[in-house]
Amino acid sequence: MKKYDVIVVGGGPAGLAAAISSSENAKTLLIEREHRLGGILKQCIHDGFGIIKFGEKLSGPEYAEKYKDMVKEKNIDIITDSFITDIKKNDKTFSVTVVNSSGISQYETYSVVLATGCRERTAKQVFINGERPAGIYTAGTAQYFTNILGYLPGKDCVILGSGDIGLIMARRLTLEGANVKGVFEAKSEPSGLMRNIVQCLEDYDIPLELSTTVSRVFGKERVEAVETVRVDKNMNYIPGTEKVVKADTLILSVGLIPENEIAEKLGISTDIKTKGPFVDNSLMSVNVPGIFCCGNALHVNDLVDYVSESGETAGKNAALYKNTNRKLTKIIISDEFMYCVPQYINYETDEKNIIFYIRVKNNCNNVRIIIKNERDEIVYSRKYIIMRPPEMERLVINKELFKNTSFINISLENGDDNI
Amino acid sequence: MKRKIDIYLKKNIGKSATSSEYRKSILLEGEADSWSKIISAGKYAAKFGYKGVINKISLKGFSEDYISKPDFTDGKFNNYNTDVLIIGGGIIGCSIARELSKYNINILLIDKESDVAYHTSSRNDGMIHPGLVPKPGTKKAFYNVRGNYLWEKISEELDIELHRTGSVITYDKKFLNIIKPFLKMRADKNGVPIEFLNKDEVLKYEPFSSDDIVGGIRLPTAGIVSPYKATVAYAENAAVNGVVFGFNTFAEKINTVNGEIISVETNRGKILPKTVINAAGVYSDIIAQMAGDMFFSIHPRKGQIAILDKKYGNSLYSILSRPNLNFHSDTKGGGLVKTVEGNILVGPSAEEIPYREDYSTDYKTIISMISKHEKALNRINKNQIITYFSGIRAANYEEDFIIEKSDYIKNLIHAAGIQSPGIASAPAVSEEIEKLTVEVLSVYKEVKRKDKWINRRFSSPQPLKLSIKDRGNLILKNPDYGKIICRCEEISRGEIIDALKSPLEISDLDSVKRRTRTGMGRCQGGFCTPLVMQIISEFKNEPLNSVTKKGHTSFILGEKTKEFTGDDLNEKV
Ligand SMILES: Cc1cc2nc3c(=O)[nH]c(=O)nc-3n(C[C@H](O)[C@H](O)[C@H](O)COP(=O)(O)OP(=O)(O)OC[C@H]3O[C@@H](n4cnc5c(N)ncnc54)[C@H](O)[C@@H]3O)c2cc1C
Ligand SMILES: Cc1cc2nc3c(=O)[nH]c(=O)nc-3n(C[C@H](O)[C@H](O)[C@H](O)COP(=O)(O)OP(=O)(O)OC[C@H]3O[C@@H](n4cnc5c(N)ncnc54)[C@H](O)[C@@H]3O)c2cc1C
């Protein structure tokens, strides 16, 4: 059985960054189930990656290439086309079982970084009534068809959901000569980034219908049409607003779910808000020490730059990991927030600063994020003109501010208040 | 009798409606304004002891029913002579084919779809019912109990998983004590073992059963199989023994002379059979009528079923239900079944519909089934659903199987109206049809058993179910078993190639899925669909965009993109 200090699971941007930072201080193995490294970036041939990290607009594969080059320079063992079938916790280590075309192998390691990315929510999970023809795909699958296989998913497309991948696919399909009949979004606000609404829909005259969903699919062999219907605030259909749209393809961009089957096998407790593990600021699981998590497996990110950042944090801490007792400070968020990562603070780490990734539930204008300690003292505050759910906020705060408190409270208040 | 029926029809359907005696059956005609009235009329007419109810009352404004069928013609089976022609490749047709393959006769099985188990046989719970529910003395009761017994041997011969888990039915009221004697009597009459459990015993079998119950009953002979794998296994064993499978072959017309079938016309030519077996599921009444033997009607009864993520599978061990004592509830019956793969199935519903192939599903029904069956097992909820589907039961008005030689057509045999529990009964139904066919065919030729009949079939390897050592060795022999294609179900390239190489020729995504489970997991094929398509296209040496989801014209891809420059990006799978 081969031994490592750190095993990184997943070779997307999160895993690549984790392996690089881990290899500075530890013997590292990177395991990827696909043939090539790069994760989902391999199929994202549009640009807009790396503006924060590299100060330039790269395509997904270009961004991944930069990291792959860095990985090559380090002393990192890499196995691709390899699938993890089991992972077990031992006394001080973990054993990882891997299947690939040369057989089954087992590895032992002190810590593990989960960088397994996410999967897409499916048509069945959003409950569309009707028939079962061919022609219903998630946006990521449609993207694979178009960008990797070089085939259009169909001619006349309807897109359900205004997530970023859906918006990007609307543009891509239009450029390839397909007819995108519209993007339908059940919520009253688009769920993708503003820049994508402008660059992918408005620039191409693709209609976006808000508060509207797809209620039914027609067609036996291949999709022939879909029925759209307007919905009220509680997502109930409004009778009489049904419209039939002729289309041969229905593309869904209705959300991503972190892939955490490995974490679950290890009994890691997960946050129902992020659907990723509960972690502290070293990105280590709070209940299974030695397991770290980053990227989209931790929570769904909108910018790859932050994915790489979380990978770096997780990799570095995994390399330094020693099984000592932690004292954790719980982060409590108020109702206006969808989630905050990390969910706990470990004061005893090396970093000077703690990075918070935080997302609001609804659009808010002119607000202030306030952080208080257990004595109800304000330790941090920051004003925002606007906060939107699709755009995650990143806060970098000096760790010293969280000394000597057993919990902190993050809340959102009116931005006009004088503090 | 006819008078009473006429009065009923006039009153409930309208002046236009009439009945007439046709041979030994009763024929209803006219036009009604609702489907439920048509069903009620049929059920009413079934009370008078006719051989069958032929319900031809039409629904106002209802246009021609859709039927999935091949869109091409060729001459593949033109003037094709065969001793036996089986129409229908569900579990009934395939099990019959397998049993008949013991004899020195030619057998052709045709199905209008691109694979076996395309319709009802892949759209059900896969439960091997114990046989308590059917009325004593019915064919259903007999074949169910006998089929349940035979599954033991069949599952071994065909190398398919049979989990004989038993089933548990729980009750919350003292009620049980009142119906106990009745249940015991029925169980004895049908020959079904039954055990009465107190609450603690229930919790021993199903620890997560809701505990606001007083007790339950257990039927230890209940079991579970994968219905589509079972159908495929029957078909593969039949094929190995020389049965010819004609897919994409639609029986359109049956020609008879003097009460004898002389030919069956299909889109692939005119078949010349000595005997014909009607195993056409929801179309079995149509086939009977085509052959001039109209005596019953199928009224399609839809059932929707929800599938929960395997992750939550360990809250159930076997088959669990808690009957609803509120008779006004719209989802009668059904329960929870743990499949051989470890998912929990919730359902099915029972809805009378005018369509024979309407597999649509709706949110309301799925959710109401979850709320209903949550009462048996609190741990389930709607967020655990990964997908849902529906199937159609081939119900006739007599609500019993039709397993017999035709009264009017010398060389026609019916295995018709096989609604639930058709999977459980299949081994017994095919045993009987085997006997009847040999009798009928013996008039035409000498029927002898083959010297060499291969009664065993072996499933191709399932690496996931092997020990680490065996799995490793398997991969050493064939590295393809180490290349995981479907991540959720952990299915390898080797298994997909095995499915494509199997004795039945298949080439679409759903056929691969039925054999290997690719795309059946929580991501529902999001990741593996393109990869499986590549393997199929490579194996068949056909372009990627000729691959279909389920045969016919269900193409998955459109045209090539403009800018595609080469395969440098192409993943090798
Ligand atoms: C379709 C799509 C389009 C996007 N578009 C943009 C955009 O325009 N701009 C932007 O900034 N961001 C975009 N994003 C977001 C960004 O690219 C992702 O957040 C980022 O790729 C996530 O990186 P990751 O490493 O966490 O996950 P991934 O890139 O998904 O990588 C995870 C890797 O782990 C591997 N893996 C998973 N489980 C296992 C296992 N058990 N064993 C071995 N290997 C495993 C996978 O094969 C995969 O290679 C997009 C995301 C998606 C899904
Ligand atoms: C929701 C649901 C749940 C069920 N649960 C259970 C259960 O748990 N246990 C159990 O024992 N039973 C169950 N059943 C019943 C069981 O599924 C059926 O009894 C069984 O599958 C019937 O098999 P079959 O071969 O008769 O029909 P099918 O599988 O429908 O096969 C008939 C075939 O005939 C072909 N065909 C029809 N017309 C033509 C034509 N003109 N030319 C060529 N081919 C034609 C069709 O394409 C089809 O493939 C359930 C049924 C439903 C709907």
Side-chain angles (χ1 to χ4, degrees), chain A residues 183-218:
Chain A
V183 175
F184 299 89
E185 168 60 59
K187 287 186 243 130
S188 57
E189 296 286 337
S191 55
L193 297 171
M194 219 49 224
R195 71 165 198 224
N196 285 335
I197 302 280
V198 176
Q199 294 170 9
C200 299
L201 300 187
E202 291 174 5
D203 289 359
Y204 294 86
D205 289 330
I206 298 169
L208 168 65
E209 289 196 34
L210 298 171
S211 303
T212 307
T213 190
V214 168
S215 44
R216 226 184 137 77
V217 171
F218 302 99

Side-chain angles (χ1 to χ4, degrees), chain B residues 141-310:
Chain B
F142 174 79
Y143 290 106
N144 183 171
V145 174
R146 171 110 183 117
N148 179 303
Y149 166 78
L150 289 174
W151 264 112
E152 200 73 42
K153 175 168 147 259
I154 292 295
S155 63
E156 203 176 306
E157 289 181 349
L158 300 181
D159 192 20
I160 53 173
E161 272 180 85
L162 163 68
H163 290 182
R164 203 171 289 276
T165 55
S167 62
V168 175
I169 300 155
T170 59
Y171 289 101
D172 48 4
K173 301 201 177 133
K174 294 280 180 217
F175 186 81
L176 179 63
N177 294 328
I178 309 169
I179 61 165
K180 223 174 180 172
F182 167 75
L183 287 176
K184 178 86 182 101
M185 203 168 76
R186 175 167 278 201
D188 289 347
K189 272 198 188 147
N190 283 359
V192 177
I194 187 169
E195 295 161 5
F196 293 89
L197 310 178
N198 63 30
K199 180 171 161 180
D200 287 346
E201 290 165 332
V202 168
L203 294 175
K204 215 177 74 205
Y205 285 110
E206 287 297 346
F208 304 111
S209 156
S210 321
D211 59 5
D212 56 334
I213 50 159
V214 295
I217 63 171
R218 182 166 185 272
L219 303 167
T221 52
I224 302 149
V225 295
S226 159
Y228 40 89
K229 284 197 176 169
T231 307
V232 167
Y234 262 128
E236 286 185 358
N237 191 224
V240 163
N241 284 300
V243 173
V244 177
F245 283 78
F247 293 137
N248 297 311
T249 308
F250 178 58
E252 316 178 306
K253 192 163 175 251
I254 298 177
N255 300 311
T256 57
V257 171
N258 298 331
E260 187 176 6
I261 295 173
I262 51 159
S263 66
V264 174
E265 290 179 30
T266 75
N267 59 314
R268 315 194 76 175
K270 197 191 262 183
I271 300 168
L272 310 172
K274 291 202 177 68
T275 51
V276 174
I277 297 168
N278 172 11
V282 288
Y283 292 102
S284 52
D285 58 337
I286 310 271
I287 295 291
Q289 190 184 334
M290 272 187 208
D293 188 20
M294 175 172 86
F295 68 99
F296 65 100
S297 285
I298 297 292
H299 53 102
R301 192 185 293 139
K302 185 194 279 195
Q304 301 189 39
I305 296 176
I307 309 180
L308 308 187
D309 194 321
K310 260 185 193 177

Side-chain angles (χ1 to χ4, degrees), chain A residues 9-15 31-34 36 38-44 46-50 82-84 115-118 120 140 143 164-165 168 195-196 256 259 262 294-297 301-305 307, chain B residues 487:
Chain A
V9 185
I31 303 175
E32 167 58 50
R33 59 186 169 195
E34 290 184 0
R36 292 181 306 135
I40 208 72
L41 293 181
K42 297 194 293 278
Q43 66 187 63
C44 302
H46 55 280
D47 68 1
F49 296 85
S82 298
F83 191 86
I84 295 182
T116 47
C118 57
E120 298 179 273
Q143 191 176 45
D164 288 309
I165 319 166
I168 284 162
R195 71 165 198 224
N196 285 335
L256 301 171
E259 285 231 73
I262 294 185
C294 55
N296 278 354
N301 287 259
D302 33 82
L303 290 177
V304 72
D305 310 71
V307 166
Chain B
R487 356 179 132 168

Side-chain angles (χ1 to χ4, degrees), chain B residues 92 111-112 119-121 124-125 127 129 251 418-419 421-424:
Chain B
I92 297 300
D111 199 292
K112 62 195 178 70
H119 287 286
T120 316
S121 298
N124 60 70
D125 267 312
M127 183 174 162
H129 294 261
I418 313 288
Q419 52 160 304
I423 303 293

